[in-house]
Amino acid sequence: MTLEKLRQFMSEIPFDSLVGLRLVRMHKDGVTIECPMRPELLNGSGVLHGGVTATLADVAVGMALARHLGRPRSATTVEMKINYLRPVAHGKIRARSHLVKVGARLCCGRVEIHDAQKRPVAAALITYMILPG
């Protein structure tokens, strides 16, 4: 799957567009996506909402899986563990996924999320189930 095809697939997912996610780069073992900060994504304390950080991690593994499989395929998150390391209030955040293991039914991926200064923001471990069909 090419970078442009994966970007097209991502742009057709309404939630990803709503949040403002953008595919930056493909890697041998994953992808990098980014999200620009904007007021709608902040929590009551004025920092990035944890749900947005979790979304970045989730989508980064989902896009890496689609690329690995060579096409978009039905899959769903079955487990996510995320550690929040630093609050972010401005700039862009980037998520770099690494596929740890892809089996016939399950995929495990890890994600590092950094702010615009390349400081760690979060780390996640995510499991996807590859659905039949």
Side-chain angles (χ1 to χ4, degrees):
M1 180 175 271
T2 67
L3 180 64
E4 283 309 312
K5 285 186 180 186
L6 197 57
R7 281 183 175 153
Q8 177 65 35
F9 171 58
M10 193 170 168
S11 73
E12 294 169 357
I13 300 170
F15 188 72
D16 293 356
S17 296
L18 178 69
V19 176
L21 303 182
R22 186 176 81 82
L23 181 65
V24 176
R25 183 173 299 132
M26 294 192 313
H27 309 278
K28 181 180 176 183
D29 66 341
V31 301
T32 297
I33 63 172
E34 71 180 16
C35 179
M37 297 286 292
R38 55 183 209 275
E40 299 85 6
L41 302 179
L42 303 180
N43 65 20
S45 298
V47 297
L48 184 66
H49 192 286
V52 177
T53 306
T55 294
L56 269 163
D58 190 33
V59 172
V61 172
M63 290 298 121
L65 178 59
R67 177 175 185 253
H68 177 84
L69 296 173
R71 62 186 168 88
R73 184 158 169 205
S74 295
T76 189
T77 308
V78 294
E79 184 175 37
M80 177 187 294
K81 196 266 191 245
I82 188 164
N83 289 13
Y84 297 93
L85 307 172
R86 166 181 279 111
V88 181
H90 52 36
K92 289 182 183 178
I93 53 171
R94 282 193 170 189
R96 165 60 158 102
S97 64
H98 305 263
L99 295 180
V100 175
K101 169 99 166 88
V102 180
R105 300 279 298 178
L106 295 176
C107 166
C108 180
R110 66 182 170 82
V111 183
E112 296 97 28
I113 301 175
H114 293 86
D115 64 13
Q117 289 76 42
K118 299 185 180 179
R119 297 176 300 186
V121 170
L125 188 64
I126 299 170
T127 303
Y128 262 78
M129 177 184 291
I130 303 166
L131 301 173

